[in-house]
Amino acid sequence: MKYKTRFRKITFAIVLLAITAGLCACGMFPEFEADIEENPESQTEKLIVIGYSQLGSESIWRTANTASMQKAFTKENGFFLIMENGRQRQENQIKSIRSFISQRVDYIVFSPVTATGWDTVLQEAKDAGIPVIITDRMIDVADESLYTAWVGTDAHAEGKKAGQWLEQDLKKRGLQYEDINIVILTGTEGSSAADGRSAGFKEVAQRYDNWHILAEGCGDFTPAKGKEVMKTFLKEYSDIDVIVSQNDDMTFGALEAVHEAGLTTGIRGDIIVISFDATREALEMVKEGTINVDIECNPEQGEAVVELIRRLEAGEEVEKKNPVEEEVFSISNVGLHMDERTY
Ligand code: GZL
């Protein structure tokens, strides 16, 4: 009895299949066939899947950097973007990278919140055969083969530009032999952006015995912490001549603290202000003279990363290190660049 039932079931299935195939062939399910006809290559054209770990959303600059990546990694450009926010914590970014590995993405792209601590997870990505592209900040790994390429900003060069600008400005004002008291608001601890800018600035500062770095304090690239640290500096030192603030967001907080202390800043002020990022809001302040100079840090990196991936997909060799273009803005040239600034 059981055998007969099974036989009947198989026969029914075969007949049903034959009818369906026949109906398809004579166009009984046009919507299905239409899918194939309209997008014949849709069955073959594969989107490149990108697992992207952005370090956080701590600043105006970061928002622009994220937007640049989202604008580049679109379906129209042939990409499927999986983006995760690390909320400024390395463990979140490591979790995201591990999840991208288990999802077998085609590329992992990430902006590292700090420079060290990536060797193990990048070895896992390498073992899984997934290329890693680093954006924005740099990492410090024992084995550079753990990442395929880097597209980002040269923090050390930015710091050096800040020192060289101060050299020139003091000379222009005839102050090059005066005692110059400097405080530094540093960015996220252990980040290549903060460490690079500090090292680059100090490379110039060490040439001058009359330049005194009174204090350095971590403002973590945010306005609130920038203000908090600047307030402690103003309580401790009555004769600050220069503020070196490693991003515009911290500068905005620091300016509030300085003005609340009854002091002024800028080209006609009590304190010289050197800032980094060159966001539109800060460039407006350069134009009106309350910030003396802004060292550009270019967040528009998405297109360059897409270009790299296209070349990798074509089997081409790519440069390991790909720094983006960056300028220095002071009252003498800021007017020429205001309109093009979108962030
Ligand atoms: C620099 C970038 C820094 C910016 C800050 O490349 O990592 O992080 O200077 C941002 O505004 O928070």
Side-chain angles (χ1 to χ4, degrees):
M1 187 52 179
K2 207 168 82 183
Y3 174 71
K4 271 193 180 161
T5 314
R6 190 185 299 161
F7 177 73
R8 234 182 276 127
K9 277 185 179 173
I10 290 172
T11 315
F12 176 71
I14 291 170
V15 168
L16 184 65
L17 204 61
I19 294 169
T20 311
L23 292 176
C24 268
C26 60
M28 290 298 284
F29 298 110
E31 66 286 354
F32 175 71
E33 283 168 6
D35 271 355
I36 297 230
E37 272 156 23
E38 262 165 35
N39 313 297
E41 69 284 353
S42 67
Q43 307 308 315
T44 53
E45 186 188 306
K46 175 180 173 297
L47 294 175
I48 300 172
V49 181
I50 305 291
Y52 173 47
S53 167
Q54 176 56 292
L55 64 86
S57 32
E58 73 287 356
S59 64
I60 299 167
W61 188 96
R62 184 64 52 202
T63 305
N65 181 242
T66 302
S68 161
M69 305 299 270
Q70 289 171 317
K71 205 170 91 192
F73 287 118
T74 59
K75 284 214 169 82
E76 296 69 42
N77 285 345
F79 295 96
F80 184 84
L81 178 65
I82 307 168
M83 185 174 89
E84 297 194 359
N85 182 333
R87 292 185 301 282
Q88 293 261 75
R89 301 181 68 80
Q90 181 174 42
E91 57 268 28
N92 292 340
Q93 290 200 279
I94 289 175
K95 262 190 221 133
S96 295
I97 291 172
R98 288 200 164 117
S99 145
F100 298 149
I101 292 171
S102 62
Q103 295 176 68
R104 309 273 328 127
V105 298
D106 295 307
Y107 290 85
I108 289 170
V109 178
F110 81 112
S111 172
V113 61
T114 53
T116 56
W118 304 100
D119 301 70
T120 304
V121 74
L122 293 187
Q123 186 60 54
E124 292 165 21
K126 184 175 180 182
D127 294 345
I130 301 176
V132 172
I133 295 177
I134 298 168
T135 61
D136 175 22
R137 299 177 186 173
M138 182 43 106
I139 59 172
D140 178 7
V141 282
D143 172 7
E144 290 232 322
S145 75
L146 290 178
Y147 68 94
T148 302
W150 165 83
V151 174
T153 61
D154 185 343
H156 190 277
E158 292 163 359
K160 215 168 157 185
K161 287 175 189 174
Q164 289 161 341
W165 177 88
L166 184 58
E167 259 179 331
Q168 297 308 316
D169 188 61
L170 292 173
K171 268 193 197 116
K172 235 180 347 188
R173 300 174 190 229
L175 300 174
Q176 68 271 41
Y177 304 112
E178 302 293 317
D179 276 330
I180 304 295
N181 292 326
I182 300 164
V183 293
I184 303 178
L185 294 174
T186 56
T188 302
E189 209 146 328
S191 70
S192 63
D195 295 348
R197 286 171 188 165
S198 295
F201 179 77
K202 289 175 182 174
E203 191 180 301
V204 178
Q206 66 179 4
R207 297 179 204 149
Y208 300 98
D209 295 342
N210 59 316
W211 289 21
H212 312 291
I213 296 178
L214 302 176
E216 299 179 59
C218 178
D220 209 15
F221 288 133
T222 67
K225 287 201 75 177
K227 180 172 183 177
E228 189 187 306
V229 173
M230 192 63 224
K231 279 172 97 168
T232 56
F233 288 164
L234 288 163
K235 281 199 191 93
E236 206 157 329
Y237 304 102
S238 56
D239 53 352
I240 296 171
D241 299 305
V242 180
I243 299 170
V244 178
S245 170
Q246 292 185 348
N247 89 323
D248 292 337
D249 298 70
M250 292 192 294
T251 302
F252 301 147
L255 290 177
E256 267 184 37
V258 170
H259 298 152
E260 284 170 10
L263 296 169
T264 59
T265 64
I267 53 178
R268 289 173 291 278
D270 305 314
I271 302 178
I272 292 171
V273 175
I274 299 175
S275 191
F276 290 77
D277 280 356
T279 59
R280 187 177 184 81
E281 193 179 340
L283 293 184
E284 294 285 357
M285 293 179 181
V286 171
K287 202 170 164 189
E288 69 194 27
T290 42
I291 293 177
N292 295 75
V293 65
D294 207 327
I295 315 295
E296 183 179 30
C297 176
N298 182 354
E300 312 276 15
Q301 300 164 8
E303 271 180 37
V305 182
V306 163
E307 180 50 34
L308 262 181
I309 290 176
R310 292 221 193 286
R311 289 175 54 201
L312 289 166
E313 288 289 295
E316 292 174 24
E317 287 291 311
V318 296
E319 288 295 317
K320 191 86 173 172
K321 308 263 171 85
N322 305 272
V324 290
E325 295 287 312
E326 300 177 316
E327 299 205 33
V328 175
F329 297 113
S330 65
I331 196 138
S332 60
N333 70 339
V334 69
L336 308 172
H337 298 269
M338 283 305 296
D339 299 345
E340 70 201 26
R341 184 60 81 243
T342 56
Y343 53 89

